[in-house]
Amino acid sequence: MSLRKADPLLAIARIVLIVMQALAALGAIACAIAVPAIFIFRSQVETELRSEGIPLDAFTALASLLALAAIAAALVFLVARLLWRMVGTVRDGDPFVPENATRLSRMAWITLAIQLIGIPMAAVAVWLNEITEDAHAENVGDGISVSAILLVLILFILARVFRKGTEMREELEGTV
């Protein structure tokens, strides 16, 4: 039995991923609770909007934004969870397993979904800024991130690399 030296980068990654999962879960839960809450307290919310001179259309925009944020946060949780499991296989010394190829593919699809959800979120945020005449909104963005699209491509390619690496290792083990 060989003793592996603990990799500090993997230890840090696991801690960061646990924190990320916790924050994403809290965000998803908070937004998911807020959506029905604003409908339950709709009259109070609308009264507050009127008192601030904000059109009642903002209510619908706010509910939509919260619902989309809940979905996005839940998806971020899933990506962090999949990556946390992958880091575990690397720590254990066996990253080229079929599950990691599947995890990478799932991460790519989920990251693409997050990117697509960002488009209507940005549109709703821009609309909300316009109807509330929020002068403090510097740059909401358009919801499209070149780096996120690049990440999706990298994840899909890495999934293929891991799948091929797993196949090659199985072939090599079969010939020995």
Side-chain angles (χ1 to χ4, degrees):
M1 180 169 94
S2 68
L3 295 173
R4 282 186 212 99
K5 183 179 174 187
D7 186 339
L9 178 62
L10 293 179
I12 291 168
R14 287 177 63 87
I15 292 168
V16 168
L17 290 168
I18 288 170
V19 170
M20 185 180 289
Q21 288 176 69
L23 292 174
L26 286 171
I29 291 167
C31 290
I33 290 171
V35 172
I38 66 171
F39 282 100
I40 291 169
F41 300 106
R42 184 176 187 142
S43 62
Q44 291 92 332
V45 173
E46 288 179 344
T47 301
E48 184 64 28
L49 290 175
R50 274 191 223 101
S51 72
E52 295 291 325
I54 298 171
L56 293 182
D57 289 349
F59 181 86
T60 305
L62 182 60
S64 301
L65 201 54
L66 285 168
L68 290 169
I71 294 167
L75 292 174
V76 168
F77 172 84
L78 292 175
V79 169
R81 181 74 175 163
L82 289 166
L83 187 54
W84 186 79
R85 289 180 175 161
M86 282 190 67
V87 169
T89 65
V90 174
R91 184 193 64 199
D92 295 341
D94 194 16
F96 286 100
V97 293
E99 293 85 11
N100 280 348
T102 302
R103 287 177 183 133
L104 284 164
S105 290
R106 286 181 183 158
M107 289 166 59
W109 285 111
I110 294 169
T111 303
L112 180 61
I114 292 168
Q115 180 65 30
L116 293 175
I117 288 170
I119 295 169
M121 281 182 74
V124 171
V126 166
W127 180 54
L128 194 56
N129 285 332
E130 288 174 0
I131 64 174
T132 61
E133 299 173 357
D134 188 357
H136 301 293
E138 298 292 325
N139 183 8
V140 173
D142 57 9
I144 297 171
S145 168
V146 174
S147 56
I149 293 169
L150 183 60
L151 176 62
V152 169
L153 291 173
I154 290 169
L155 289 169
F156 276 126
I157 291 167
L158 281 175
R160 297 235 173 134
V161 168
F162 268 70
R163 205 167 282 116
K164 187 66 174 172
T166 301
E167 290 171 8
M168 291 170 65
R169 186 177 75 176
E170 288 173 356
E171 286 176 14
L172 184 63
E173 288 173 355
T175 60
V176 174

